Amino acid sequence: MKKNQNTSLYTNRLKMVPAAPEHIYAELESPSNLARLLKAEVEAGWPPGEYDRGAQEFFLNALNEGGSEAVGWYAWYAIRKSRSGKLPVLIGAAGYLGPPNEAGAVEIGFSVMPSWRGNGYASEIAEFLTGNAFSHSRVKMITAHTLDQNRASCRVLEKTGFKGTGDDGSGSLCYVIKRDSLSA
């Protein structure tokens, strides 16, 4: 993967766009403003899952505080590539809770629109986030948290190579993947 996180990156089926402040300002105003900026269809019901207004405002504040160096370390948009002349579709939101800490750890999260679940997109997004993070030599470990009831998210993390470490003390399950486990 490219190390410049200010540009879009691609997976097999998705265009991954790092959120800049202008994306989140547009999104907070209306999904149609975000659609125009991303040049993609935004379905009714946006945003998905835990990527709610509180998350959007968190990312906006972090991006504004961090400047251009912060772009790519917070929210990303997952856009399904266009097919048969149709407009690309924004299917999910994902990202990191910030750049790596002193220990080299980052945390990921992802949400997929309900109409696109069950098609492997969450796994593709989680693989992207993992590969993108590990393309930075400072990143030694990636964590993710999910509820035990969210079996689909647990399966995505396990499929992507994360290992469950148990309850994190707040009722969520913690999953971890370490750089050194990739070569084992």
Side-chain angles (χ1 to χ4, degrees):
M1 303 234 175
K2 298 175 194 171
K3 290 197 179 194
N4 178 355
Q5 293 189 349
N6 293 318
T7 59
S8 300
L9 299 175
Y10 298 86
T11 67
N12 288 339
R13 300 177 294 167
L14 300 171
K15 176 181 178 183
M16 300 296 297
V17 178
E22 59 266 21
H23 291 107
I24 299 179
Y25 281 123
E27 183 174 23
L28 288 168
E29 288 174 6
S30 76
S32 62
N33 288 349
L34 180 62
R36 279 190 294 281
L37 195 58
L38 293 175
K39 296 179 177 65
E41 177 185 344
V42 176
E43 295 179 341
W46 181 265
E50 293 181 11
Y51 183 68
D52 57 13
R53 186 171 188 91
Q56 294 164 341
E57 290 172 349
F58 166 81
F59 289 131
L60 178 60
N61 289 335
L63 289 166
N64 281 331
E65 287 176 18
S68 63
E69 291 297 313
V71 173
W73 285 115
Y74 291 98
W76 286 77
Y77 299 104
I79 301 170
R80 185 173 177 265
K81 296 175 187 174
S82 64
R83 291 172 47 181
S84 305
K86 294 184 179 181
L87 196 61
V89 179
L90 179 60
I91 65 156
Y96 310 97
L97 291 182
N101 64 19
E102 302 78 34
V106 296
E107 183 172 344
I108 66 166
F110 49 87
S111 294
V112 174
M113 290 292 287
S115 60
W116 295 97
R117 292 179 186 156
N119 295 299
Y121 289 111
S123 294
E124 197 166 329
I125 292 167
E127 288 170 1
F128 165 80
L129 291 171
T130 302
N132 187 57
F134 281 141
S135 75
H136 298 270
S137 61
R138 292 181 20 224
V139 176
K140 308 293 182 223
M141 177 176 71
I142 304 168
T143 62
H145 294 85
T146 190
L147 297 175
D148 185 41
Q149 308 89 292
N150 190 343
R151 299 309 306 155
S153 186
C154 294
R155 282 191 304 276
V156 164
L157 292 167
E158 291 163 1
K159 179 180 175 183
T160 310
F162 285 76
K163 305 292 182 215
T165 62
D167 190 300
D168 67 1
S170 70
S172 291
L173 298 177
C174 182
Y175 285 81
V176 174
I177 187 170
K178 295 181 178 180
R179 179 185 295 277
D180 57 12
S181 70
L182 298 177
S183 58

